[in-house]
Amino acid sequence: MTVSPPLLLIVDSGNTHVRWGLHDGSKWLKQGMAAQTGKASLEREWQDLREPARILVSHVAGTDAKADLSELFSRWRIEPQWVTAVAYQCGVRNYYADPAQLGSDRWAALVAAWELQRQGCLVVDAGTAMTVDALSDTGEFLGGIITPGIDMMQRVLVEHTASLKPEEGKFCDYPDSTADAIFSGAVHALAGAVERMAALLATTLGHVPDCILCGGAAQQLQSQLNLNVRVMDDLVLEGLILIARESMEDAATGAIKLDP
C-alpha cells in the first residue's frame, strides 16, 4: 500500500496578490495566483484540492484580507500557521530591533535567498512597495529599505499634480512624452535605490553582492540594474517551505531551538 506524503498548502498573501502552492515535501504539485480581492477565484481553485496536513501563511495585507483567507481555510480541519519573523531561523539571524516587526514576506524571502546563495546578497521584492534587504556573508539580516513601487510612484504623482492624467508609459533613455517620463523616472528611482544599497553592502562585505529579485515589477527592474541579478518569482513561497521543513524537523526530534 502506497502512503501519500503529507501535503503543505503554502500561501503568500501580499498587498496586491495571493500566491499559493501545494507541496508534497519535495516538489510543488500545484501553484496559483489570485488578486487580493479575488476571494471567489481562490475558492474555486481550492475546492478540489486534496486536504493539506499543514497550512503555512505569510500575510501582510490587513485584517479584512486575513478574515477572507481564514474563511477559505475553514473548509479544512487543520488550523493555519501565520508566520512571523523571529530572531533566528533557517540559518538567518534577524537584526531588526523588534524581530517580529519585520514583514513575514521579507523574512521568508531572506530565508530562501540564504539557502540559494550562502553568502552576502541583496534581496529585492519589487511589488506594491519595493523592499531592498541586505544579507551578510554569515547569514545576518543587516537591515533594509522600503520605497513605493513603480505603480505607486506613478499613481501618487498623478494624484497630486493637477495637470497630469493617468496614462500608460514605457521606459526610454530620453523620454519625449509625459507618460514615458513618469514611468522612466519611477524605474530609475527604484534601480538607483537598489544600486545604492548594493554599493553600501559591497563596502561592508568586501565584494559586490548578487541581487535576488522577485515581485511583480521584477522583469521591468532587472534590465536596468548594473548587477548580477537572479529573478525568483516564488522566493517567498520557497522560504515558507524551508520554514515549514525546519519546524517539522524540530517537532519530530523535540528539539529546543537555541541561537548559535
Side-chain angles (χ1 to χ4, degrees):
M1 178 179 177
T2 302
V3 178
S4 298
L7 300 180
L8 305 173
L9 179 60
I10 306 297
V11 180
D12 170 19
S13 175
N15 290 300
T16 305
H17 292 97
V18 178
R19 291 178 178 266
W20 63 274
L22 193 66
H23 201 279
D24 68 359
S26 60
K27 64 183 181 300
W28 295 106
L29 302 178
K30 189 173 183 179
Q31 290 181 270
M33 184 174 72
Q36 185 56 258
T37 54
K39 180 182 175 183
S41 175
L42 277 178
E43 188 167 20
R44 287 192 299 272
E45 291 188 70
W46 289 355
Q47 66 183 358
D48 296 324
L49 284 185
R50 289 165 53 197
E51 182 162 346
R54 291 187 69 189
I55 302 171
L56 208 69
V57 192
S58 164
H59 178 76
V60 297
T63 55
D64 289 344
K66 185 174 182 179
D68 285 343
L69 279 177
S70 296
E71 184 178 335
L72 291 173
F73 294 146
S74 67
R75 70 174 57 239
W76 298 300
R77 291 167 291 180
I78 190 72
E79 286 291 322
Q81 177 186 347
W82 303 87
V83 171
T84 57
V86 294
Y88 183 84
Q89 195 169 46
C90 299
V92 181
R93 182 177 297 280
N94 181 357
Y95 277 160
Y96 244 37
D98 176 3
Q101 191 180 34
L102 179 67
S104 57
D105 53 346
R106 293 171 70 190
W107 180 239
L110 286 160
V111 165
W114 177 246
E115 180 70 13
L116 285 168
Q117 294 290 111
R118 294 291 172 173
Q119 66 175 5
C121 63
L122 279 184
V123 184
V124 180
D125 188 343
T128 304
M130 184 181 76
T131 57
V132 186
D133 291 326
L135 269 176
S136 77
D137 283 331
T138 52
E140 299 162 312
F141 167 52
L142 302 175
I145 63 170
I146 304 173
T147 75
I150 290 176
D151 290 344
M152 188 183 297
M153 279 192 183
Q154 296 180 96
R155 185 170 63 252
V156 169
L157 185 58
V158 169
E159 288 175 354
H160 293 272
T161 307
S163 61
L164 297 180
K165 58 183 179 180
E167 293 182 88
E168 186 172 343
K170 62 183 183 298
F171 184 85
C172 308
D173 289 336
Y174 298 103
D176 58 5
S177 73
T178 301
D180 291 348
I182 292 172
F183 183 82
S184 300
V187 173
H188 274 302
L190 296 188
V194 173
E195 290 181 353
R196 283 181 63 89
M197 287 295 290
L200 179 63
L201 185 56
T203 300
T204 300
L205 299 178
H207 63 84
V208 178
D210 289 348
C211 175
I212 310 299
L213 180 59
C214 65
Q219 300 295 337
Q220 294 165 314
L221 191 57
Q222 179 187 17
S223 62
Q224 304 306 318
L225 293 173
N226 294 312
L227 297 167
N228 183 24
V229 179
R230 181 174 180 179
V231 175
M232 295 286 296
D233 289 333
D234 297 326
L235 194 66
V236 175
L237 294 180
E238 293 292 343
L240 291 172
I241 282 291
L242 294 169
I243 291 169
R245 187 174 295 150
E246 182 178 87
S247 65
M248 286 189 292
E249 290 171 354
D250 290 345
T253 61
I256 298 175
K257 180 70 68 178
L258 298 174
D259 284 356

